[in-house]
Amino acid sequence: MATSSIRVLVVDDFEPFRRVVCSALEQMPDLQVIGQASDGLEAVQKAQELKPDLILLDIGLPTVNGIEAAHQISRLLPGATILFVSQNNDADVVAAALSNGAKGHVLKLNVGTELLPAIEAVLRGEQFLGRGIK
């Protein structure tokens, strides 16, 4: 990875889960959380304003769902990498998420073991699908 830090936007409507994700990201010294959002509309606005390199995005968000937010963010910031972190494990939903600009998907229940490897993979340009996708 580059010597400058990777700027990360964390998007989830459940604030305690955002805290868990942010503390996990502190284990990677080259990542810097630059913002958080609690719904899809705010995610698009903050992505446009902060221009993160990596966006960790939930699918089930209020106002605008994560798939639509990913679609909008991909058009606004084509260079940003999107990784879904969601409890949704439906294969059709995951396929829709990936076809709207995401590079990977991790189930929330596997965040402890899969989030950091998933981030490393998508930042290398690889696709990452976590365990448990139906």
Side-chain angles (χ1 to χ4, degrees):
M1 288 186 218
T3 53
S4 62
S5 63
I6 305 291
R7 298 160 38 88
V8 184
L9 175 64
V10 178
V11 183
D12 195 284
D13 58 333
F14 190 56
E15 197 268 339
F17 185 75
R18 288 197 314 268
R19 276 201 311 263
V20 166
V21 169
C22 289
S23 71
L25 296 178
E26 289 172 5
Q27 298 175 40
M28 296 182 77
D30 49 351
L31 296 182
Q32 174 192 9
V33 176
I34 57 165
Q36 298 182 32
S38 59
D39 67 54
L41 186 60
E42 185 183 13
V44 174
Q45 291 167 341
K46 286 210 170 174
Q48 192 169 18
E49 172 191 334
L50 300 173
K51 300 190 179 8
D53 305 303
L54 174 65
I55 301 157
L56 303 181
L57 188 59
D58 189 13
I59 291 175
L61 293 170
T63 66
V64 173
N65 73 45
I67 294 172
E68 177 56 31
H71 178 72
Q72 292 180 32
I73 291 167
S74 294
R75 289 181 34 214
L76 292 167
L77 296 172
T81 300
I82 298 171
L83 174 63
F84 276 106
V85 181
S86 175
Q87 60 193 21
N88 194 319
N89 65 349
D90 180 271
D92 292 337
V93 173
V94 173
L98 295 174
S99 70
N100 277 285
K103 298 288 185 221
H105 184 283
V106 173
L107 286 176
K108 284 184 176 180
L109 112 106
N110 297 330
V111 158
T113 56
E114 292 185 349
L115 181 61
L116 299 181
I119 289 171
E120 290 171 348
V122 299
L123 289 176
R124 285 191 305 265
E126 301 166 13
Q127 189 177 71
F128 186 96
L129 282 182
R131 295 183 326 252
I133 307 301
K134 294 184 176 176

